[in-house]
Amino acid sequence: MAADGQTAVLDTAWAQIPHSREATAGIGSFTRSRVERIISLVAGGLGSLIVGAQAFVTALGPSDERPGWHETLMIAVFGSLSIMILACVIGRGVRLAAGGFALVYMLALAVWPIATAGIAPRTLDEPWIWYLVNLATLAAVLAFPFPLQIGWTILAPVLFGLVRLVQGGFAADYWIAVSLDVSFALILGGVILTLGWLFRSVAVNVDETRARAVSSYARAAAADAAEQERVAVAALMHDSVLAALIAAERATTPRERTLAAAMAREALTRLANTEQDAHEGTDEPRDAYQLADDIEAAAGELGVEVDVQRDIAPGSPPLPGRVARALSLAATQAIANALQHAGGAGLGVALSASEGRVRVDVHDAGEGFDLDAVPDDRLGIRASIVARVAAVGGKADLETDAHGTAVHLSWQESAS
């Protein structure tokens, strides 16, 4: 029963924290997965489409490659780029597609001197393959671990500059133009790399903080469930078992034997229904009149007729089922105590309800007792009354002297 109670509380804890199926499967990927999706969709999808279109239009013009090479390089480079863009848009296979484009582009740069061998560049303007240098960096950011991302960010511009100088025969006119192109590509690639690292680092920190918060919440919820279950079990043992045994042991008159038998029947019933009566009943609302009827019925099972005095304001809102159940059981325990220790002398019960506040008073005219002198192992007051009412957000006060004992149970609906 304790395990079931903890599971229920943990389920409630999860329901209060926004999460998705991905987060449930792996709590550390909640924000990271969304950041990855944003990067792939905005940069890998939209950004690559715009830059790739610009490079494609440039590639349709006059080219520096030898016959047969131009079409082959275009098909390989733009084909792999198109696959990467499609993967980024649909959100599937992004790493595989981006890694494929990054490798294809580097291979295209590597064979560029072969494709342009023997053909002198017509101008100092950048060829169409230049426009895709930083897309290779972006593809590496999407596909590779961080060390490889750094390597690709540096290697792609440097390799472009090298093959461009080879194509121009290392002529002095090319050095300045190529240096500017390489510097620009390195700076822009560094920005792409840094932004990717920054967004992912923030996402990881958010996920780790969230995971710690949820873990702490779950531990607290489990501890609370265990404590509530301990109180419930302790109250059940005292109310139903110990009280019945003590009553049977002390019964000397027919009336006391009848009371002990009724308490024993109640104990057996509650023990049999323990699994079905977790958390002291359902949360189906009950109004104050029903609560008074419950107390009268419970007193009848103890062998005494109690007429609950009612002062219920019209329109009083109903109580949550668990609150009504806790107040009823606590009042029943107070009645049982009055019967057992005061012989039922002067026993009376009053219930008042108005504006979301409920109060139940149980009093007797016994000799009273010293509350501080009650041993710690006696749970009739501490667990069955005080702790039980406190567990549902209520309050239990006791007044006792030589003229009798009064138990005051109250619960106030919280403002929302």
Side-chain angles (χ1 to χ4, degrees):
M1 184 170 65
D4 293 339
Q6 293 184 16
T7 301
V9 173
L10 287 174
D11 290 341
T12 302
W14 271 109
Q16 302 302 320
I17 303 175
H19 61 282
S20 66
R21 187 179 302 273
E22 295 90 342
T24 304
I27 192 173
S29 63
F30 181 78
T31 306
R32 174 67 182 268
S33 63
R34 282 149 183 78
V35 169
E36 293 291 346
R37 181 63 181 139
I38 292 172
I39 293 175
S40 63
L41 185 60
V42 175
L46 182 60
S48 297
L49 180 62
I50 295 173
V51 176
Q54 180 184 7
F56 185 76
V57 171
T58 303
L60 293 178
S63 63
D64 296 334
E65 301 97 298
R66 292 186 298 168
W69 278 97
H70 182 65
E71 293 77 9
T72 301
L73 290 177
M74 282 189 62
I75 292 173
V77 174
F78 287 107
S80 60
L81 177 61
S82 299
I83 294 174
M84 185 186 82
I85 294 174
L86 179 61
C88 289
V89 171
I90 65 176
R92 294 181 178 275
V94 174
R95 288 189 174 183
L96 181 61
F101 170 72
L103 293 174
V104 168
Y105 181 79
M106 297 298 281
L107 291 175
L109 281 181
V111 301
W112 188 261
I114 301 175
T116 58
I119 301 177
R122 296 182 310 278
T123 65
L124 294 177
D125 294 337
E126 299 85 357
W128 62 268
I129 201 170
W130 147 256
Y131 296 97
L132 304 176
V133 170
N134 289 124
L135 289 190
T137 299
L138 175 60
V141 170
L142 293 173
F144 301 146
F146 191 67
L148 280 180
Q149 296 175 26
I150 298 176
W152 237 259
T153 301
I154 299 173
L155 182 60
V158 171
L159 183 57
F160 168 79
L162 178 61
V163 299
R164 185 62 171 161
L165 289 175
V166 172
Q167 180 186 2
F170 292 94
D173 295 340
Y174 283 91
W175 280 94
I176 296 179
V178 170
S179 298
L180 292 175
D181 291 340
V182 171
S183 300
F184 176 80
L186 286 172
I187 294 173
L188 183 56
V191 171
I192 295 173
L193 176 67
T194 302
L195 289 177
W197 171 82
L198 179 63
F199 290 150
R200 285 168 171 165
S201 297
V202 171
V204 169
N205 289 334
V206 170
D207 284 331
E208 290 178 350
T209 302
R210 176 179 176 273
R212 288 194 295 269
V214 171
S215 177
S216 176
Y217 188 97
R219 288 195 299 271
D224 180 70
E227 177 61 20
Q228 290 191 23
E229 199 67 32
R230 185 195 66 79
V231 170
V233 171
L236 172 62
M237 290 297 295
H238 179 276
D239 296 353
S240 301
V241 180
L242 295 180
L245 293 175
I246 293 174
E249 179 187 12
R250 297 179 178 179
T252 57
T253 67
R255 184 176 182 277
E256 290 176 344
R257 294 189 185 97
T258 301
L259 174 61
M263 295 176 68
R265 285 194 298 271
E266 171 70 9
L268 292 174
T269 300
R270 294 190 65 188
L271 287 174
N273 295 330
T274 297
E275 292 297 333
Q276 289 74 30
D277 194 33
H279 299 294
E280 303 292 3
T282 67
D283 220 14
E284 182 180 353
R286 296 183 67 81
D287 60 33
Y289 290 98
Q290 291 175 311
L291 174 58
D293 292 340
D294 292 340
I295 295 174
E296 290 181 351
E301 294 178 359
L302 294 177
V304 60
E305 291 186 5
V306 173
D307 183 15
V308 177
Q309 302 300 311
R310 312 180 186 197
D311 181 15
I312 302 173
S316 295
L319 306 173
R322 295 179 184 179
V323 173
R325 177 70 169 165
L327 292 175
S328 175
L329 289 173
T332 302
Q333 180 60 41
I335 294 172
N337 288 347
L339 293 174
Q340 183 176 351
H341 302 293
L347 176 62
V349 181
L351 184 150
S352 61
S354 63
E355 299 181 353
R357 186 176 187 276
V358 177
R359 178 183 174 106
V360 180
D361 297 309
V362 180
H363 59 84
D364 64 56
E367 298 179 353
F369 63 96
D370 184 359
L371 182 60
D372 294 332
V374 177
D376 292 339
D377 59 350
R378 299 300 298 273
L379 304 177
I381 295 176
R382 293 187 178 91
S384 300
I385 297 178
V386 178
R388 172 174 277 151
V389 176
V392 294
K395 184 179 180 181
D397 295 315
L398 283 84
E399 297 178 359
T400 180
D401 54 30
H403 302 290
T405 299
V407 179
H408 308 292
L409 312 174
S410 61
W411 180 83
Q412 175 71 52
E413 184 178 15
S414 60
S416 58

